């Protein structure tokens, strides 16, 4: 099936030089000197983010004793690690999470309107293995949370989760060759291995605002939505208790795009406080055609994920279809359609990138024209238009966000000139020198994603050999072998955007990291190894190769307005999300697969236990 180009305006309609200058100007208007210091973890007037506002903590005695593995996190990363451990025959493990159930980000985020932002048939993993059928293309949050629990139940490890528990310390005991895991519940667990799957969207943040403790109204972060105040409940967003309330929502990212239309429907008055407008496309979200789903051939999901990867992160080639065919893949699809019209001429990387830059402008102009078509007031519409490159901020979709600004009870408060709200007062907020009285301020201000590790992991102490802090070890960015282990921290593994391959489906990326980690743990246990650590040389060689071949995105990120993508406008991007394995995702999987196939665990220093040595070496499975 031929690729069909979307209806983008011709490049002749765009003054590219003037638009690039406009992008740079809009970026500079929004930069703040403090960078990540302008955001802080919720505290003071806001509830403790480690506590669940809807579930009482259940008393329990402290956990002591030994286990083979502790997994930190019961979101997709931790749950997929659990799947892979089970597949490796590792059954002695615990999973720890501050939440009250499986789900991770999908447990904590219950705000009205929450859905996934990309194709559920790619995003929700293991669909063929579990038989789960997503209800629609962009599945609801409560559905996703339930599916994560279903995975744990079907693979037989749901009973290994310990909820409402915050890890406070991870200290390596060299004599015992174990991690001493301490928690806020008094637990003292001795774990042979630790898997850090504590999430990307894990730690909420909010602007470091003057007066945040002075405000006498209601404050909460969208990741801790208070339905007792707003009315409604997850999956039933009838916010009837806001009928007499004036509400302000701070931020216009992925969360606000989904929550604003529902707040607009129920609040007496809604202020939408915007520093940088979002890119918002149409959101066709049909229910799943069960006949289509049930007639898919074996391997269909992996093929769909691979196709999405090409469209969203790489490029389509001759003969490719676009199986997802939405805004994520639009630029690649359009370029491929034009190349097909030209008979697929051979072009070099420079020409391809030039075409991509041109198509980026055309697609962004389409987005801006969509605002004109949906927002009645031209002044408001202009303020809502995104002036930056396509992937500077997470692209979004909604059919109801822009029309919400046509309602008489909705007011856009653009704070780009002051680079954010100026302060809170007892009665409301101050923006552009004006005080706006309100009853409730809701922070849709995002998460600690690319900031320093201490800010986003929430674990006071992580100490490896010789008492060295992992935070100090990675002060200038990660140092790893395979993106999953580091020298000086034996038996510790990491899942996340850390020095490895980059996939458009985060669950596919995390799942493959879990696969690699579980293979190493399973191999080590079968060999009777009590200690597994990358050698310093192996780590340095891997880092050198990664740094020499990765695609440097610094110039691009430094052209973008502040966001979590570039750590609020930081010049250096040591924790940047988009630092992929240079030769691409498929090559990275081949690299890891070849390493495992060799079987000798090259680059790892294994210490076999005394018991295993007496046995003369254990049989390998």
């Amino acid at each position: 099936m031929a690729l069909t180009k979307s209806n983008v305006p011709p490049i002749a309609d765009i003054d590219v030089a003037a638009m690039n200058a406009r992008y740079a100007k809009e970026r500079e208007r929004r930069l703040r000197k403090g960078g990540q210091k302008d955001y802080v973890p919720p505290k003071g007037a806001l509830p403790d983010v480690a506590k669940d506002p809807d579930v009482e903590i259940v008393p329990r005695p402290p956990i002591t004793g030994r286990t083979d593995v502790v997994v930190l996190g019961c979101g997709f990363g931790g749950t997929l690690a659990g799947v892979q451990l089970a597949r490796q025959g590792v059954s002695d493990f615990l999973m720890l999470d501050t939440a009250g159930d499986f789900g991770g980000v999908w447990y904590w985020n219950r705000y009205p309107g929450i859905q996934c932002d990309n194709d559920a048939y790619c995003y929700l993993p293991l669909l063929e293995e579990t038989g789960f059928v997503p209800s629609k293309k962009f599945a609801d949050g409560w559905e996703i949370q339930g599916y994560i629990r279903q995975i744990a139940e079907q693979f037989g490890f749901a009973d290994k989760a310990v909820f409402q528990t915050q890890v406070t310390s991870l200290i390596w005991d060299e004599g015992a060759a174990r991690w001493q895991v301490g928690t806020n519940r008094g637990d003292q667990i001795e774990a042979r291995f630790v898997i850090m799957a504590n999430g990307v969207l894990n730690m909420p943040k909010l602007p470091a605002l003057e007066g945040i403790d002075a405000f006498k109204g209601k404050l909460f972060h969208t990741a801790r939505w208070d339905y007792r105040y707003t009315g409604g409940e997850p999956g039933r967003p009838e916010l009837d208790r806001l009928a007499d309330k004036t509400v302000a929502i701070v931020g216009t990212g992925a969360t606000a795009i989904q929550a604003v239309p529902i707040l607009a429907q129920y609040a007496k008055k809604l202020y939408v406080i915007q520093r940088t407008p979002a890119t918002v496309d149409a959101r066709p979200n049909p229910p799943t055609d069960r006949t289509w789903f049930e007639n898919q051939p074996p391997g269909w999901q992996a093929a769909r994920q691979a196709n999405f990867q090409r469209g969203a992160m790489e490029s389509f080639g001759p003969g490719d279809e676009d199986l997802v065919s939405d805004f994520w893949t639009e630029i690649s699809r359009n370029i491929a359609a034009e190349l097909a019209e030209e008979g697929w001429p051979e072009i070099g990387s420079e020409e391809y990138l030039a075409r991509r830059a041109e198509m980026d402008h055309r697609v962004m102009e389409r987005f801006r024209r969509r605002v004109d078509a949906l927002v009645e007031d031209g002044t408001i519409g202009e303020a809502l238009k995104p002036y930056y490159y396509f992937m500077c901020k997470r692209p979004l979709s909604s059919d109801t966000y822009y029309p919400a600004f046509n309602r008489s009870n909705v007011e856009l408060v653009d704070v780009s000139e002051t680079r954010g709200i100026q302060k809170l007062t007892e009665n409301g907020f101050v923006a552009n020198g004006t005080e706006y009285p309100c009853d409730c301020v809701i922070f849709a201000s995002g998460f600690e994603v690319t900031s320093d590790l201490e800010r986003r992991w929430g674990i006071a102490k992580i100490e490896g050999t010789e008492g060295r802090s992992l935070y100090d070890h990675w002060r200038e960015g990660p140092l790893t072998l395979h993106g999953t282990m580091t020298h000086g921290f034996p038996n510790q593994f990491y899942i996340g955007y850390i020095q490895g391959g980059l996939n458009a489906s985060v669950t596919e990326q995390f799942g493959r990291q879990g696969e690699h980690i579980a293979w190493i743990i399973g191999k080590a246990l079968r060999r009777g190894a009590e200690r597994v650590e990358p050698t310093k040389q192996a780590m340095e060689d891997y880092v050198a190769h990664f740094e020499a071949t990765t695609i440097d995105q610094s110039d691009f990120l430094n052209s973008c307005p502040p966001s979590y993508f570039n750590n609020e406008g930081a010049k250096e991007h040591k924790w940047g999300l988009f630092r992929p394995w240079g030769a691409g995702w498929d090559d990275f999987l081949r690299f890891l697969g070849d390493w495992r196939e060799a079987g000798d665990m090259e680059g790892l220093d294994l210490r076999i236990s005394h018991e295993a040595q007496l046995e003369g070496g254990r049989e390998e499975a």
Side-chain angles (χ1 to χ4, degrees):
M1 183 183 297
L3 294 168
T4 303
K5 187 169 65 176
S6 63
N7 186 23
V8 293
I11 195 64
D13 284 5
I14 305 166
D15 184 335
V16 172
M19 191 60 72
N20 286 336
R22 174 78 184 266
Y23 286 5
K25 179 182 177 181
E26 295 294 336
R27 174 183 185 272
E28 291 301 318
R29 289 178 61 214
R30 292 168 170 83
L31 282 178
R32 297 169 65 107
K33 293 181 180 179
Q36 71 176 18
K37 295 179 181 177
D38 288 324
Y39 287 85
V40 295
K43 60 182 179 180
L46 284 148
D48 181 354
V49 296
K51 295 180 180 178
D52 189 332
D54 297 315
V55 179
E56 292 294 324
I57 293 180
V58 178
R60 65 167 177 79
I63 300 171
T64 59
R66 293 185 165 187
T67 187
D68 283 338
V69 187
V70 161
V71 180
L72 273 60
C74 293
F76 267 128
T79 302
L80 292 173
V83 169
Q84 297 297 339
L85 288 171
R87 285 175 168 172
Q88 287 292 328
V90 180
S91 59
D92 183 9
F93 64 92
L94 290 175
M95 305 177 70
L96 306 180
D97 201 300
T98 56
D101 201 347
F102 285 92
V105 67
W106 297 105
Y107 176 87
W108 291 111
N109 283 269
R110 309 172 195 170
Y111 60 82
I114 182 171
Q115 295 178 335
C116 60
D117 276 337
N118 51 356
D119 183 80
Y121 315 116
C122 289
Y123 178 69
L124 299 185
L126 304 172
L127 293 180
E128 290 184 75
E129 292 86 342
T130 64
F132 182 78
V133 182
S135 64
K136 47 198 166 190
K137 177 178 172 65
F138 300 107
D140 295 317
W142 59 266
E143 178 182 346
I144 299 171
Q145 187 272 323
Y147 178 56
I148 297 172
R149 165 162 275 282
Q150 178 183 326
I151 291 171
E153 290 172 346
Q154 284 191 227
F155 283 87
F157 57 87
D159 60 341
K160 299 183 184 300
V162 180
F163 297 116
Q164 301 179 320
T165 300
Q166 171 68 53
V167 172
T168 55
S169 62
L170 293 167
I171 299 174
W172 175 252
D173 183 335
E174 186 66 49
R178 287 180 177 269
W179 285 95
Q180 305 297 321
V181 183
T183 78
N184 65 344
R185 304 295 292 271
D187 306 314
Q188 289 295 324
I189 304 166
E190 297 182 52
R192 180 70 73 200
F193 301 97
V194 170
I195 300 176
M196 308 290 287
N198 37 338
V200 178
L201 304 177
N202 169 52
M203 182 63 69
K205 67 179 182 180
L206 72 152
L209 288 174
E210 175 188 347
I212 197 166
D213 291 316
F215 180 60
K216 293 183 177 180
K218 180 70 175 179
L219 291 172
F220 59 87
H221 192 282
T222 50
R224 303 294 185 272
W225 193 274
D226 192 339
Y227 281 102
R228 288 167 295 186
Y229 180 83
T230 65
E233 60 187 21
R236 189 184 65 82
E238 298 169 8
L239 312 183
D240 53 312
R241 294 182 185 175
L242 298 181
D244 62 346
K245 300 290 193 301
T246 296
V247 177
I249 185 166
V250 182
T252 53
T255 297
I257 297 309
Q258 295 179 335
V260 159
I262 299 173
L263 287 169
Q265 182 181 349
Y266 286 96
K268 180 179 73 173
K269 175 74 176 182
L270 176 64
Y271 294 111
V272 180
I273 303 169
Q274 169 189 277
R275 179 180 64 172
T276 307
T279 300
V280 187
D281 200 8
R283 192 177 182 87
N285 196 14
T288 299
D289 181 338
R290 293 190 69 95
T291 301
W292 165 82
F293 190 92
E294 292 167 359
N295 286 316
Q296 291 299 304
W300 72 267
Q301 188 179 31
R304 189 179 184 91
Q305 289 168 329
N307 179 267
F308 182 53
Q309 169 70 9
R310 291 195 296 279
M313 304 294 294
E314 298 168 2
S315 61
F316 288 124
D320 275 338
E321 296 180 63
D322 186 353
L323 298 177
V324 172
S325 195
D326 61 17
F327 57 97
W328 289 103
T329 60
E330 181 178 9
I331 291 177
S332 294
R333 179 173 69 256
N334 286 354
I335 294 171
E338 290 187 346
L339 288 171
E341 291 171 357
E342 299 169 21
W344 285 101
E346 291 188 13
I347 61 174
S349 59
E350 286 190 14
E351 183 178 345
Y352 183 85
L353 291 175
R355 286 182 180 237
R356 190 169 184 89
E358 183 179 285
M359 188 58 69
D360 193 303
H361 278 292
R362 297 169 69 186
V363 168
M364 290 303 292
E365 182 62 22
R366 180 183 71 78
F367 280 119
R368 290 188 287 268
R369 293 183 183 186
R370 182 170 185 267
V371 179
D372 290 330
L374 294 176
V375 179
E376 295 168 0
D377 186 303
T379 302
I380 296 172
E382 186 59 32
L384 288 167
K385 291 180 181 179
Y387 285 96
Y388 46 78
Y389 305 103
F390 178 68
M391 279 304 294
C392 276
K393 292 176 70 70
R394 183 177 179 84
L396 308 167
S397 61
S398 171
D399 292 337
T400 54
Y401 178 69
Y402 289 139
F405 292 95
N406 298 329
R407 300 177 62 104
S408 61
N409 66 324
V410 177
E411 182 174 342
L412 179 69
V413 181
D414 187 278
V415 293
S416 55
E417 290 298 331
T418 54
R419 297 171 173 83
I421 299 175
Q422 291 169 288
K423 65 179 180 179
L424 293 183
T425 65
E426 288 187 359
N427 300 313
F429 65 93
V430 176
N432 304 315
T434 300
E435 182 177 13
Y436 295 81
C438 61
D439 301 295
C440 174
V441 177
I442 302 171
F443 290 99
S445 44
F447 300 85
E448 304 279 357
V449 177
T450 53
S451 53
D452 292 339
L453 283 183
E454 293 99 322
R455 294 172 61 100
R456 50 192 166 101
W457 277 9
I459 301 172
K461 184 182 293 186
I462 306 176
E463 293 183 354
T465 57
E466 300 178 353
R468 186 171 192 190
S469 167
L470 181 65
Y471 300 134
D472 291 336
H473 180 52
W474 282 358
R475 185 64 58 193
E476 300 307 318
L479 302 166
T480 73
L481 178 67
H482 303 166
T484 54
M485 297 184 74
T486 190
H487 177 72
F489 295 81
N491 296 10
Q492 189 172 72
F493 302 86
Y494 316 102
I495 289 177
Y497 290 88
I498 303 173
Q499 248 174 14
L502 182 64
N503 193 275
S505 295
V506 64
T507 51
E508 168 67 359
Q509 180 173 324
F510 288 2
R512 292 306 191 111
Q513 289 172 329
E515 176 185 39
H516 190 62
I517 289 165
W519 185 92
I520 295 172
I521 290 174
K523 191 85 165 177
L525 289 173
R526 289 191 293 272
R527 286 189 177 186
E530 61 183 10
R531 191 181 190 280
V532 181
E533 178 186 12
T535 66
K536 188 171 185 291
Q537 187 65 53
M539 179 186 74
E540 290 175 348
D541 289 347
Y542 177 84
V543 171
H545 175 78
F546 182 87
E547 293 296 334
T549 59
T550 189
I551 300 170
D552 186 359
Q553 297 284 345
S554 298
D555 288 345
F556 172 73
L557 291 171
N558 290 337
S559 72
C560 294
S563 73
Y564 72 76
F565 279 8
N566 58 17
N567 196 16
E568 303 306 325
K571 292 183 179 180
E572 303 297 327
H573 307 287
K574 58 187 179 182
W575 290 105
L577 295 180
F578 306 123
R579 302 197 73 231
W581 180 262
W585 174 253
D586 291 341
D587 184 78
F588 183 66
L589 291 187
R590 281 193 293 271
F591 170 79
L592 295 185
D594 290 347
W595 184 88
R596 293 194 298 268
E597 183 67 25
D600 57 0
M601 304 178 82
E602 181 183 2
L604 294 183
D605 183 13
L606 276 68
R607 187 173 76 193
I608 307 300
S609 70
H610 181 64
E611 293 81 2
Q613 291 181 34
L614 291 176
E615 294 172 10
R618 294 179 180 170
E619 180 182 357
E620 291 194 34

